[in-house]
Amino acid sequence: MESSSDLVKGEASTPPTVVPEDEKAASRKRRPKWLVPLVVAVVVVVVVAGLVGWHLVESHRHDSALESCNQAARSLRGKTGSAQLAKYQEASGVKVNQVKDAKTVTDMSRSVKAAGGLKPPTIQCKASMFTSELNTEASKAKKLDGEYAAVSKSAKAVTASRDAKTLEGAKTALNAKKDEASKLLGDSDGKVADNATRDDLQTAMDQAGQIKGDKAKAYQEATNSLQVAIDRVNASMQAKSQADQQAAAQAAQTQASQQTAKRSKSSQQGLSSSHSRGRRGYTPSRPTTSQRGGGGGGLAPAPATPQEDHSNWRERLQNGTVSNGGKPVCQKGQACGIG
């Protein structure tokens, strides 16, 4: 057996094999020329396929984000349109004393504050936007949609509570007006200028008694109709009262005029009777033969009845009317009575 050292030595002594150039050429001839282009083509195909696949995936993600954004925006617009915002504004302005449940007003205030106020939100969903931007807008729209859903719920609760209190008030007002109308109908009997007004009032009362349902407007309209009928009856009563007062005043004036005329007639009759008695009681005095004077044949007048005379005594003395012991003083050229 040969030792390992001998083997090593033998191998080392063996010269390297040299491949002739002809053999290299033969080896190159055995590799196909189309192999390299094929490899390149395969690589290109793989790269292009990868790019196409990435683009398809990214396009799908973009389309999904765009659709999600549009859906969220549509849902939000359904809760934030002009008509809806007007309802929210109306509910937000309702006061505590206008509702049956004050808690509904408190909840409404909180929901409006959480939504950042009642204003049209701005959500953009454009195809030109990046996928990340579309996802951000969709998330914003979904958040606002939930907040405005709470606003819508609170607004409905406030409106329902307000309507309930309005209905209750309308029913109470109608009942009170019916009682007023019933009392007036009884009090006005025979006291109106036109009895048709009382008939209209009775008709309005009958119609008011038929009102039913949960619509406050129906009760309010019935109350207004009763008020109109009540006003007409009151006006008719006032017209009759004024007419009665005028008739009474005219009757009193006529009676007073008749009494005045009667008193005037009585006074005139009394005065005429007095004058007549005065004329019948006066008789001219006729002188007797013993009273005839000698001078001139004149008759002496009958002595007058003494009456109180308040004239000045000096004037009476000068006129010769002063009596002497109750007898007239004779004047020169005048006849004197006997005695």
Side-chain angles (χ1 to χ4, degrees), residues 168-178 219 223:
E168 182 180 17
K171 288 181 177 180
T172 301
L174 180 58
N175 290 332
K177 193 61 63 177
K178 286 164 63 178
Y219 294 89
T223 301

Side-chain angles (χ1 to χ4, degrees), residues 180-192:
E180 179 183 352
S182 178
K183 183 177 184 302
L184 179 62
L185 190 64
D187 294 343
S188 62
D189 188 14
K191 299 179 182 179
V192 292

Side-chain angles (χ1 to χ4, degrees), residues 108-182:
M108 180 67 189
S109 179
R110 290 176 180 174
S111 63
V112 170
K113 185 177 180 180
L118 299 175
K119 56 185 178 181
T122 303
I123 300 297
Q124 293 183 347
C125 299
K126 298 180 180 180
S128 59
M129 298 171 62
F130 293 112
T131 303
S132 58
E133 294 175 338
L134 291 172
N135 289 332
T136 300
E137 289 295 303
S139 298
K140 178 182 177 182
K142 290 177 181 179
K143 182 176 181 296
L144 286 173
D145 187 86
E147 292 171 347
Y148 273 98
V151 171
S152 178
K153 182 179 179 181
S154 298
K156 290 179 180 178
V158 168
T159 302
S161 184
R162 180 199 60 187
D163 292 346
K165 185 166 185 177
T166 302
L167 177 61
E168 182 180 17
K171 288 181 177 180
T172 301
L174 180 58
N175 290 332
K177 193 61 63 177
K178 286 164 63 178
D179 292 341
E180 179 183 352
S182 178

Side-chain angles (χ1 to χ4, degrees), residues 4-338:
S4 59
S5 59
D6 293 338
L7 291 173
V8 171
K9 287 180 181 180
E11 292 177 0
S13 61
T14 303
T17 302
V18 177
V19 180
E21 290 294 333
D22 295 338
E23 292 181 4
K24 291 182 178 179
S27 176
R28 283 197 297 271
K29 288 180 181 179
R30 288 192 298 268
R31 184 182 301 170
K33 294 181 179 181
W34 49 264
L35 182 60
V36 175
L38 179 61
V39 171
V40 173
V42 170
V43 171
V44 171
V45 169
V46 170
V47 172
V48 171
L51 291 175
V52 171
W54 176 85
H55 179 74
L56 291 174
V57 172
E58 183 61 26
S59 178
H60 179 70
R61 290 177 56 197
H62 182 272
D63 292 343
S64 297
L66 180 61
E67 179 62 22
S68 177
C69 184
N70 286 327
Q71 287 181 355
R74 282 194 297 268
S75 178
L76 180 60
R77 283 195 297 270
K79 296 180 179 67
T80 58
S82 58
Q84 285 72 21
L85 288 176
K87 292 180 180 179
Y88 303 156
Q89 292 284 0
E90 180 183 358
S92 182
V94 175
K95 306 301 181 183
V96 175
N97 60 349
Q98 295 176 308
V99 295
K100 293 191 68 175
D101 185 4
K103 185 176 180 297
T104 58
V105 175
T106 304
D107 292 343
M108 180 67 189
S109 179
R110 290 176 180 174
S111 63
V112 170
K113 185 177 180 180
L118 299 175
K119 56 185 178 181
T122 303
I123 300 297
Q124 293 183 347
C125 299
K126 298 180 180 180
S128 59
M129 298 171 62
F130 293 112
T131 303
S132 58
E133 294 175 338
L134 291 172
N135 289 332
T136 300
E137 289 295 303
S139 298
K140 178 182 177 182
K142 290 177 181 179
K143 182 176 181 296
L144 286 173
D145 187 86
E147 292 171 347
Y148 273 98
V151 171
S152 178
K153 182 179 179 181
S154 298
K156 290 179 180 178
V158 168
T159 302
S161 184
R162 180 199 60 187
D163 292 346
K165 185 166 185 177
T166 302
L167 177 61
E168 182 180 17
K171 288 181 177 180
T172 301
L174 180 58
N175 290 332
K177 193 61 63 177
K178 286 164 63 178
D179 292 341
E180 179 183 352
S182 178
K183 183 177 184 302
L184 179 62
L185 190 64
D187 294 343
S188 62
D189 188 14
K191 299 179 182 179
V192 292
D194 183 5
N195 199 61
T197 57
R198 298 182 70 253
D199 295 337
D200 293 341
L201 180 59
Q202 181 64 63
T203 301
M205 291 174 59
D206 295 339
Q207 293 175 349
Q210 298 175 359
I211 301 299
K212 297 180 181 179
D214 57 355
K215 299 298 182 182
K217 185 178 180 181
Y219 294 89
Q220 292 169 347
E221 290 177 349
T223 301
N224 294 336
S225 298
L226 274 177
Q227 185 61 57
V228 171
I230 288 173
D231 292 341
R232 289 175 178 172
V233 171
N234 284 329
S236 186
M237 290 178 66
Q238 184 176 4
K240 180 173 175 54
S241 177
Q242 291 177 351
D244 291 345
Q245 290 176 1
Q246 291 176 358
Q250 186 175 0
Q253 183 177 4
T254 301
Q255 184 178 4
S257 299
Q258 292 175 351
Q259 291 178 353
T260 301
K262 186 176 181 180
R263 286 195 298 268
S264 176
K265 183 177 181 181
S266 299
S267 177
Q268 291 176 358
Q269 291 176 351
L271 181 60
S272 175
S273 175
S274 174
H275 286 316
S276 177
R277 287 195 301 270
R279 285 194 299 270
R280 290 195 303 269
Y282 174 74
T283 303
S285 142
R286 301 285 183 179
T288 61
T289 50
S290 60
Q291 291 176 339
R292 293 175 182 174
L299 299 178
T305 304
Q307 295 182 352
E308 184 179 0
D309 192 353
H310 297 284
S311 62
N312 190 285
W313 64 274
R314 294 182 182 274
E315 293 178 357
R316 287 182 289 159
L317 181 62
Q318 292 176 359
N319 294 331
T321 59
V322 177
S323 61
N324 182 14
K327 298 178 180 180
V329 177
C330 296
Q331 299 294 329
K332 184 177 180 182
Q334 294 182 355
C336 294
I338 298 176

